[in-house]
Amino acid sequence: MTIYGGTAVDRLHSTTLVNLANEFLLKQLINEPTRGENILDLVFTNNEELVNTIDIEDTILSDHKLVIVETMLGDIGTGNNIRKLESFAALNFFHSKVDWNAVNKEIANINWNSELENKSINMMVEYILTKLQDICTALIPQKIKRRQKTIPRDRRILMKKRTRLVKKLKTNTRNNHRSLKNKIKTIENKLAESHENELKTEERRAVDAIKNNPKYFYSYARSKSEIRSSVGPISWQGRQITDPKEIADALDEQYNSVYSKPLCNTTIYQPSQNREGPQLEDIEFNREDIEQAIASINAFSAAGPDMVPAILLKKCSHTLSTPLYILWRTSLDAGQVPRVLKHSLVTPIFKGGDKAAAKNYRPVGKTSHIIKIFERILVKRIVDFMKRNELYNKGQHGFRQGRSYTKLDHCKATSFADDTRMTGTISTKDDYKLVQEDLNKMFEWTRDNNMEFNLSKFELVSYRHPKSSHIINNYKTPDGETIKQQNSVRDLGIIITDDATFTQHRVSSTAKARKHRMDSENFQNKESRNNVNII
């Protein structure tokens, strides 16, 4: 940041403020004028998670606008509320003393063919989960519930000695004061050293667990965090809601609203039974396919509603392939999916922008690993069949490996998941018209396929040399609104600017690296430091 204008004293004060912000990684959050056309009222923070909303309103009390900042600060709590653990969640599957050979032996001893015979799909799942719970409860160590820390014996002895010396210091003559003070100081240094060594030991244990048990590390890191992220309050239908159930209902309504409704004049035809060419009449798979699908799951992935941990499936993939094969072969033949495996735990993840807006939270669902295994098998078989028989439409690019872009008449459209980018070269005014025509074709395609672009997320960036002539950029949305031009956009994590440089991305990445380094330094001996969240 460069300081311009003003007196020497003004520039000195401004430079001091900028240096302070850089030193403590503070970010200024006000980006709208607060007096005339100038931003004169500033809000700095080193933790954007603390800020929920920022509103700037006119007021009759001053020629400055009123800046209202709503924070997430509240009762952090003591951390003594221990979540009630049940079934799989109460067991420590990452304990070093887990005997996986014994677990596999118990699973292999069950005659799954006879036990699952004549059972319904739902009864099969219930039986498999019950047996696994019984085996794991008997052979997997329980998680140790968090208890209040006790003071180590050596530290208690030192504290008693210090208490006795303090009493002597109050009653003895002045001649012994210096000697007693030196002894007290020595004990306090030993206490500080003991406390520091304990913290280092805890941190080292957490760091050493990153590779084999990252959940332990993140659990330890969260226990040291002073901020508890949460969802809400949410602005919904003209009012602000804070009740968790109302927030959940509002988010559910928001997520449902983005689905398109079926077109009334569209007829869905059943595929002809006499259609010529290859047909996928059945999906064949075996136990080896089950084991390969399990191998593709991350051992540290969070469990779904059934609480079956991924590491249990991976460590027992061979023995569990038999009951899972029976389950999914029966499910596919019957055309039924177990009810319990249809459930999902949905977590709203903040994407950016206004934290009070429900549309700024992305739903992330956690489903059972058991059904994920079968999904992987089905996808692999169907995709292989489509590729082998060349049944894919040549124009289909979405969700196909190596087919992320489509060539239009003038532009190239690229897609990654639900993000679409369209790029084209503009040299003349005629090129501008061609780009708009390609845009119109994309809009028409979405209408024909009952899909919609999110107009509020449209972004326009023009890359050109600073000395180049101005090119018209008033491109229109389907509603006739002009797409607002941006100086920079974030694309797949990279900040791209209209000057075709990566300066802004480099500055942002450097600031994040500095913050991570500062967090790492503060992570050690945090209790002995005065860490303040500045807002």
Side-chain angles (χ1 to χ4, degrees):
M1 181 182 295
T2 306
I3 307 299
Y4 298 100
T7 65
V9 175
D10 291 336
R11 290 196 296 273
L12 177 61
H13 290 167
S14 300
T15 301
T16 302
L17 177 61
V18 171
N19 291 339
L20 179 69
N22 290 334
E23 180 180 357
F24 291 98
L25 304 175
L26 303 178
K27 182 177 180 180
Q28 204 286 113
L29 302 180
I30 305 301
N31 53 21
E32 297 180 24
T34 60
R35 184 176 183 269
E37 297 181 354
N38 301 314
I39 300 176
L40 300 182
D41 304 272
L42 310 179
V43 174
F44 289 89
T45 180
N46 63 354
N47 190 341
E48 291 185 77
E49 291 293 324
L50 290 173
V51 181
N52 189 50
T53 59
I54 297 178
D55 293 318
I56 300 176
E57 303 175 355
D58 293 324
T59 174
I60 61 174
L61 302 177
S62 171
D63 59 349
H64 288 252
K65 292 185 178 181
L66 181 65
V67 178
I68 304 174
V69 181
E70 183 180 288
T71 71
M72 305 291 286
L73 292 173
D75 184 14
I76 295 175
T78 61
N80 293 327
N81 296 327
I82 306 300
R83 180 171 57 91
K84 184 178 179 181
L85 300 176
E86 299 176 352
S87 62
F88 295 112
L91 306 177
N92 186 359
F93 287 90
F94 293 93
H95 199 286
S96 59
K97 295 184 179 180
V98 175
D99 188 350
W100 289 110
N101 290 329
V103 175
N104 275 289
K105 183 177 179 180
E106 290 296 324
I107 296 174
N109 285 339
I110 300 175
N111 188 339
W112 294 104
N113 287 290
S114 61
E115 294 294 344
L116 298 178
E117 189 178 8
N118 297 326
K119 282 185 170 62
S120 66
I121 295 297
N122 294 308
M123 291 298 294
M124 282 186 179
V125 174
E126 182 179 349
Y127 182 84
I128 293 172
L129 294 179
T130 300
K131 282 297 182 182
L132 289 180
Q133 287 179 6
D134 293 341
I135 293 171
C136 292
T137 301
L139 299 175
I140 305 294
Q142 292 273 335
K143 288 181 179 177
I144 299 176
K145 292 186 178 180
R146 199 178 303 161
R147 296 176 296 181
Q148 188 174 1
K149 280 188 176 181
T150 58
I151 301 175
R153 183 173 179 275
D154 64 325
R155 208 179 299 165
R156 292 200 305 270
I157 294 174
L158 289 172
M159 293 170 68
K160 289 180 180 179
K161 287 183 178 180
R162 182 181 60 178
T163 302
R164 289 196 296 267
L165 289 173
V166 170
K167 289 181 179 180
K168 284 185 180 182
L169 185 64
K170 293 180 179 179
T171 58
N172 280 15
T173 61
R174 188 180 298 275
N175 295 334
N176 294 332
H177 276 198
R178 177 171 294 184
S179 175
L180 291 173
K181 286 182 178 179
N182 289 336
K183 289 181 180 179
I184 292 173
K185 185 176 181 180
T186 300
I187 290 176
E188 288 178 344
N189 289 336
K190 289 182 178 180
L191 286 170
E193 183 181 358
S194 173
H195 184 65
E196 184 177 344
N197 290 336
E198 182 184 15
L199 292 177
K200 286 182 178 180
T201 301
E202 290 179 353
E203 287 184 11
R204 178 50 53 192
R205 187 182 298 117
V207 171
D208 291 341
I210 288 179
K211 183 176 181 180
N212 297 321
N213 187 6
K215 289 186 177 181
Y216 177 83
F217 171 80
Y218 290 114
S219 176
Y220 174 78
R222 284 193 299 269
S223 70
K224 302 299 181 184
S225 174
E226 296 177 355
I227 303 299
R228 298 290 184 267
S229 60
S230 59
V231 177
I234 295 291
S235 298
W236 187 252
Q237 296 180 348
R239 66 188 185 94
Q240 193 174 67
I241 56 178
T242 57
D243 180 70
K245 186 180 184 306
E246 290 186 0
I247 291 176
D249 291 339
L251 290 172
D252 178 62
E253 189 173 341
Q254 166 64 29
Y255 299 151
N256 287 327
S257 68
V258 301
Y259 289 100
S260 56
K261 297 180 180 179
L263 298 176
C264 299
N265 58 350
T266 301
T267 303
I268 300 177
Y269 297 96
Q270 293 292 338
S272 172
Q273 297 294 330
N274 300 320
R275 186 177 66 86
E276 297 181 358
Q279 297 187 40
L280 185 61
E281 298 179 351
D282 193 12
I283 295 178
E284 298 292 338
F285 62 97
N286 52 40
R287 292 170 180 81
E288 287 73 21
D289 295 318
I290 297 283
E291 293 184 46
Q292 289 178 10
I294 293 176
S296 65
I297 296 176
N298 190 323
F300 306 108
S301 297
D306 59 5
M307 301 306 294
V308 176
I311 190 172
L312 172 62
L313 297 172
K314 292 182 75 71
K315 292 290 186 179
C316 305
S317 61
H318 182 68
T319 51
L320 284 176
S321 63
T322 297
L324 293 181
Y325 171 79
I326 297 173
L327 169 67
W328 290 121
R329 184 69 263 175
T330 306
S331 171
L332 188 61
D333 292 341
Q336 299 176 354
V337 177
R339 287 191 303 270
V340 67
L341 299 184
K342 294 180 181 180
H343 295 168
S344 176
L345 300 176
V346 179
T347 302
I349 304 297
F350 179 63
K351 299 184 294 184
D354 185 2
K355 287 191 174 181
K359 66 179 182 180
N360 290 333
Y361 290 86
R362 175 186 290 109
V364 176
K366 292 191 294 185
T367 55
S368 169
H369 291 302
I370 294 177
I371 199 168
K372 288 179 183 177
I373 291 169
F374 193 44
E375 288 173 354
R376 282 169 165 79
I377 294 173
L378 290 180
V379 169
K380 187 175 184 301
R381 288 289 185 269
I382 294 173
V383 170
D384 288 347
F385 173 82
M386 297 289 287
K387 287 183 177 180
R388 186 171 60 253
N389 295 283
E390 299 181 350
L391 296 177
Y392 275 120
N393 188 308
K394 293 182 179 181
Q396 181 173 341
H397 294 264
F399 300 96
R400 288 189 64 188
Q401 189 174 7
R403 298 287 293 275
S404 61
Y405 75 90
T406 300
K407 189 68 176 70
L408 302 172
D409 291 342
H410 183 73
C411 303
K412 182 174 75 171
T414 60
S415 296
F416 183 83
D418 59 347
D419 292 331
T420 301
R421 290 280 188 266
M422 196 179 82
T423 58
T425 303
I426 307 295
S427 300
T428 66
K429 291 184 179 180
D430 290 336
D431 291 334
Y432 151 73
K433 295 178 181 179
L434 292 174
V435 171
Q436 183 64 60
E437 289 177 2
D438 280 351
L439 267 175
N440 295 338
K441 289 177 181 178
M442 291 183 64
F443 300 150
E444 184 179 353
W445 181 89
T446 59
R447 286 194 297 268
D448 292 343
N449 289 275
N450 197 22
M451 301 173 66
E452 289 185 16
F453 283 119
N454 189 337
L455 302 184
S456 65
K457 293 186 176 181
F458 273 38
E459 298 171 321
L460 170 63
V461 174
S462 296
Y463 308 104
R464 62 181 184 274
H465 192 276
K467 295 183 179 180
S468 64
S469 59
H470 180 68
I471 301 298
I472 300 175
N473 288 322
N474 56 334
Y475 299 103
K476 304 294 184 181
T477 67
D479 296 340
E481 298 291 333
T482 300
I483 300 175
K484 185 177 180 181
Q485 184 162 339
Q486 307 286 342
N487 294 326
S488 65
V489 296
R490 183 180 293 274
D491 189 18
L492 299 180
I494 305 297
I495 299 176
I496 301 174
T497 55
D498 55 5
D499 59 1
T501 68
F502 293 93
T503 303
Q504 188 173 339
H505 179 77
R506 185 171 65 251
V507 171
S508 175
S509 300
T510 303
K512 287 182 180 179
R514 288 181 57 215
K515 187 176 187 306
H516 288 320
R517 180 178 178 181
M518 183 176 289
D519 291 343
S520 177
E521 291 174 353
N522 288 338
F523 188 61
Q524 190 173 22
N525 304 330
K526 187 172 182 180
E527 282 83 350
S528 62
R529 303 187 183 200
N530 294 323
N531 293 318
V532 179
N533 285 303
I534 303 174
I535 182 167

